[in-house]
């Protein structure tokens, strides 16, 4: 039995050991130690960035010492293809990540709330789905969705082809859904059970307690892990290139091919792709960590 | 027994041979007590003797396996019990206050009457302000729980519970988490309540306080009531060995 803390003025966290909504002992996914990725990215020092840039752009000069291809030429090639790679490519990474996050979050919140249902018939399927999709390799999920979804659908007599990037959105929203489900469950479970008991003893129904007392308290705690998952998702979007979806990596490869497959171009092009991803996710990671600090002080 | 058959000549809370186990651990082994309207009873006893469990059974936060608890004639040990109706009659204050941290003191007091009882916010607000004054916290209406001392938080918790206009108040070691200077302010608030005729059931370790305000004191140990009586006789000539030992340790 966890004895209540009797030190005056210091309130122990789980204020009671009585059985109100404690079906799990697993570590809450909303806990700060889960923001590993954002923490790592946000703490990358400037010199590491510079080093990365230098390596990428100095590469042609080093590797081409024996060839006729110069660094300037490599730069020019990259410069030429830049609009194509960004607007035709990276934009799609952003769009895919945006929609996958949107749909994943919507379903994830529902699944997370189902996970804390007092009814087993609701709780068990939700737990099962969460665990399955949370622990499956993302690429496998992507392939399954790609093959499972029909090539085209017929709506009101019209045949509409489902674009590959839409399938990619569905594939990627599955692991996001499962992870957001865990974030929601973790955040709800991080509210001390005394809050449930206090609301219950004031004649709140379970639904009222959840929506008016518990969720308002833990909503803010869900934001940093949610943003963390968005950054991870964005970093995972190049997987779609294996499915033939036109995005940054696919287009980079096409550009290199168009430049006669010069091996000196590999590192500048793919290195540039790496930089774009880091540059896009870096501010998100910084904001995640900043928010996490701010909320940690408040609650 | 139905609600309509209850009147004030009968006990407002009647506990008969209540048994409660957590798994294999039998915590309450046949507890009985009657509380009349307006009475103040104190439950004392060593840690782990089942005091909290007993008091939480009264507002159905815990269920019981056998026996009967009636509150104003409503049977609590009934699968068809309307828990919300029961809890509107029974207020509860916890050791750890359990205020809603995202709401101000005033909002904490106002929320349940508005959301649960659907009373009009303006009526509730004037009543809530009066309650905050009653627990001597005027000026703290807009403070968040985190900005209040333990004693102040506990008094907000009492006001929050009173805002539901309960007929019975349950207090579970409400001063145990407080430092000595603030214990008194909370006890004064409870005493005021008791003097106004509120039916109160308290679990407490404050023997002096129990002696002063209780009409009846119950001593529990290992899930049974070992001894009970009005304070005068209870403290003066306890007969049971366990009671004597407990009192000698604590007094
Ligand atoms: N949810 C629970 N699950 C299992 N056992 C429990 C639970 N709640 C209480 N118990 C056990 O029931 C027994 C009585 O607990 P209870 O909290 O009622 O004691 P208490 O008299 O209030 O003690 P204290 O003075 O320390 O508050 C203890 O042995 C405790 O471990
Ligand atoms: Mg207790």
């Amino acid at each position: 039995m966890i004895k209540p803390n009797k030190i005056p003025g210091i309130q122990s966290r789980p204020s009671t050991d009585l059985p109100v909504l404690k079906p799990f002992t697993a570590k809450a996914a909303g806990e700060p130690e889960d923001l590993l990725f954002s923490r790592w990215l946000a703490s990358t020092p400037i010199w590491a960035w510079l080093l990365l840039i230098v390596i990428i752009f100095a590469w042609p000069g080093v590797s081409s010492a024996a060839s006729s291809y110069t660094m300037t030429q490599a730069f020019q090639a990259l410069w030429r293809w830049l609009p194509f790679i960004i607007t035709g490519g990276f934009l799609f990474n952003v769009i895919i990540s945006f929609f996958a996050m949107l749909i994943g979050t919507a379903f994830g919140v529902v699944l997370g709330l189902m996970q804390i249902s007092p009814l087993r018939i609701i709780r068990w399927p939700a737990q099962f789905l969460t665990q399955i999709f949370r622990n499956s390799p993302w690429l496998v999920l992507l392939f399954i969705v790609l093959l499972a979804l029909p090539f085209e659908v017929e709506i009101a007599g019209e045949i509409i082809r489902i674009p590959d990037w839409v399938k990619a959105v569905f594939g990627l929203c599955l692991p996001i859904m499962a992870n957001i489900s865990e974030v929601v469950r973790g955040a709800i479970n991080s509210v001390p059970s005394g809050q449930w008991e206090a609301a219950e003893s004031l004649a709140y129904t379970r639904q009222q307690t959840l929506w008016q007392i518990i969720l308002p308290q833990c909503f803010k705690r869900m934001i940093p892990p949610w943003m963390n998952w968005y950054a991870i998702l964005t970093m995972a979007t190049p997987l779609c290139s294996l499915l033939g979806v036109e995005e940054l990596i696919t287009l980079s490869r096409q550009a290199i091919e168009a430049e006669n497959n010069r091996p000196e171009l590999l590192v500048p092009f793919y290195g540039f792709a790496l930089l774009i991803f880091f540059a896009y996710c870096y501010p998100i990671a910084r904001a995640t960590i900043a928010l996490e600090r701010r909320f940690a002080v408040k609650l | 027994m139905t609600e309509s058959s209850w009147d004030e000549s009968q006990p407002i809370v009647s506990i008969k041979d209540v048994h409660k186990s957590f798994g294999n651990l039998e915590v309450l082994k046949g507890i009985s007590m009657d509380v009349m309207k307006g009475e103040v009873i104190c439950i004392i006893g060593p840690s782990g003797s089942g005091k909290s469990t007993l008091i939480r059974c009264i507002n159905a936060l815990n269920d019981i396996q056998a026996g009967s608890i009636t509150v104003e004639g409503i049977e609590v040990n009934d699968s068809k019990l309307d828990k919300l109706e029961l809890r509107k009659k029974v207020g509860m204050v916890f050791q750890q206050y359990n205020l809603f941290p995202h709401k101000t003191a005033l909002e904490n007091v106002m929320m349940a009457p508005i959301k649960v009882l659907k009373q009009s916010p303006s009526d509730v607000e004037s009543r809530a302000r009066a309650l905050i004054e009653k627990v001597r916290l005027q000026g703290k209406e807009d403070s968040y729980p985190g900005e209040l001392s333990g004693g102040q938080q506990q008094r907000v918790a009492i006001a929050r519970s009173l805002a539901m206009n309960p007929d019975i108040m349950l207090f579970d070691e409400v001063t145990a988490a407080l430092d000595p200077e603030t214990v008194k302010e909370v006890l004064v608030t409870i005493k005021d309540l008791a003097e106004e005729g509120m039916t109160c059931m308290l679990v407490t370790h404050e023997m002096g306080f129990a002696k002063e305000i209780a009409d009846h004191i119950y001593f529990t140990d290992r899930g049974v009531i070992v001894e009970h009586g009005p304070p005068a006789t209870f403290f003066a000539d306890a007969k049971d060995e366990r009671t004597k030992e407990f009192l000698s340790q604590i007094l």
Side-chain angles (χ1 to χ4, degrees), chain A residues 1 3-4 6 16-20, chain B residues 21-23 25-28 45-54 56 62 95 172-173 203 205 220:
Chain A
M1 178 182 179
K3 272 282 138 190
K6 302 236 169 144
T16 139
D17 54 336
L18 293 150
V20 174
Chain B
S21 311
F22 291 109
L25 179 70
E26 194 174 17
V27 177
L28 303 179
S47 182
S49 60
K51 309 181 295 295
S52 300
T53 306
L54 174 64
R56 293 161 56 90
N62 285 344
Q95 180 175 345
D172 188 3
E173 293 191 44
V203 174
H205 287 309
T220 59

Side-chain angles (χ1 to χ4, degrees), chain A residues 24-36 39 115 130-131 134 177-190 221-226 228-229 292:
Chain A
F24 304 96
T25 46
K27 197 179 71 185
E31 281 172 8
E33 48 267 48
D34 286 307
L35 301 181
L36 276 180
R39 214 177 293 288
Q115 278 206 84
T130 300
Q131 291 311 323
R134 212 163 83 95
M177 169 187 81
N179 282 293
I180 298 301
S181 166
E182 278 296 271
V183 167
V184 170
R185 183 185 70 72
I188 290 174
N189 278 359
S190 73
R221 278 180 229 174
M222 296 182 206
I223 296 175
W226 179 78
N228 187 56
W229 277 109
E292 193 233 346

Side-chain angles (χ1 to χ4, degrees), chain A residues 229-243:
Chain A
W229 277 109
Y230 178 68
I232 292 174
L233 167 67
T234 308
M235 292 285 193
T237 50
L239 287 176
C240 303
S241 78
L242 292 172
L243 310 183

